[in-house]
């Protein structure tokens, strides 16, 4: 009997791999994390946070007040005007260094950042500011959380920044008037990426996500199902 050719073997391998990935994404979306809701309800929810998404990335927008400005005072020192009139949210995102810094637009997509994103890359935090954000909107999901959970979320975000002698470490030559990049803790890859960081932050905030949410669409769907 004729043995399968190498091409056929590779074809079967990639077919199995694709099926496995699709199955993992589906299960990761519909199996909640934590598996069971909290036994007791949280205190009154007084803070409204937002999850912002595009086709490949998610950010968390936290409302600005004096305490939040004090917590992230280094942003003003770095040139981000979170104390400017009209600023309502600070927007935080975590992601792969090469992809974030070397792909400002899709037309500038390069092979090396893509390969690093799929394998292993250093990480950075991206910080932006925003005025009023319209809700409801297909790319915006809002959630109400308690003061205690809000404080825990800010702790999680703070811990994501690498710390130097003078606090968080800005990435040189990677800033505009309203946004900036900082060195981050952790490494980025296809399994642990920007959207899994967002999901982890939301769980700290007391919300339920899917078990594994590598894509904005899967995170958005799981959040709408379980919260």
């Amino acid at each position: 009997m004729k043995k399968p050719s190498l091409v056929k073997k590779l074809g079967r391998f990639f077919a199995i791999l694709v099926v496995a990935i699709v199955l993992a994404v589906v299960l990761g979306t519909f199996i909640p994390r934590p598996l069971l809701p909290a036994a007791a309800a949280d205190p009154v929810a007084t803070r409204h946070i937002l999850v912002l998404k595009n086709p490949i990335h998610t950010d968390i927008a936290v409302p600005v007040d004096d305490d939040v400005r004090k917590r992230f005072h280094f942003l003003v020192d770095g040139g981000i005007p979170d104390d400017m009139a009209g600023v309502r949210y600070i927007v935080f995102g975590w992601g792969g260094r090469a992809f974030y810094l070397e792909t400002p637009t899709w037309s500038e997509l390069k092979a090396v950042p893509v390969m690093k994103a799929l394998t292993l890359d250093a990480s950075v935090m991206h910080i932006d500011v925003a005025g009023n954000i319209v809700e409801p909107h297909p790319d915006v999901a809002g959630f109400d959380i308690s003061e205690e959970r809000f404080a825990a979320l800010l702790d999680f975000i703070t811990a994501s920044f690498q710390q130097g002698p003078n606090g968080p470490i800005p990435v040189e030559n990677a800033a505009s008037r309203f946004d900036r990049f900082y060195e981050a803790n952790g490494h980025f890859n296809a399994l642990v990426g920007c959207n899994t960081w967002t999901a982890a932050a939301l769980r700290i905030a007391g919300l339920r996500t899917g078990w594994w949410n590598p894509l904005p669409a899967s995170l958005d769907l799981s959040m709408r199902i379980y919260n």
Side-chain angles (χ1 to χ4, degrees), residues 60-133:
I60 296 177
V62 301
V64 173
D65 62 15
D66 289 340
D67 289 338
V68 170
R69 290 190 183 97
K70 185 176 179 181
R71 167 70 74 100
F72 299 104
H73 62 87
F74 61 90
L75 298 180
V76 172
D77 298 337
I80 299 177
D82 65 15
D83 57 347
M84 186 176 70
V87 170
R88 298 290 178 264
Y89 292 92
I90 304 177
V91 182
F92 297 93
W94 180 94
R97 183 187 181 92
F99 202 92
Y100 247 148
L101 300 183
E102 298 178 38
T103 316
T105 65
W106 283 110
S107 63
E108 298 172 81
L109 186 65
K110 305 179 186 72
V112 172
V114 172
M115 288 302 298
K116 286 185 176 181
L118 293 174
T119 54
L120 190 66
D121 192 10
S123 62
V124 292
M125 289 290 293
H126 178 240
I127 296 86
D128 200 351
V129 291
N132 291 321
I133 298 176

Side-chain angles (χ1 to χ4, degrees), residues 52-59 99 106 137-140 194-195 213-220:
L52 314 179
K53 70 179 178 73
N54 63 35
I56 63 170
H57 180 77
T58 51
D59 291 306
F99 202 92
W106 283 110
H137 189 279
D139 296 330
V140 179
C194 52
N195 303 305
N213 295 124
L215 302 173
S218 69
L219 176 59
D220 181 65

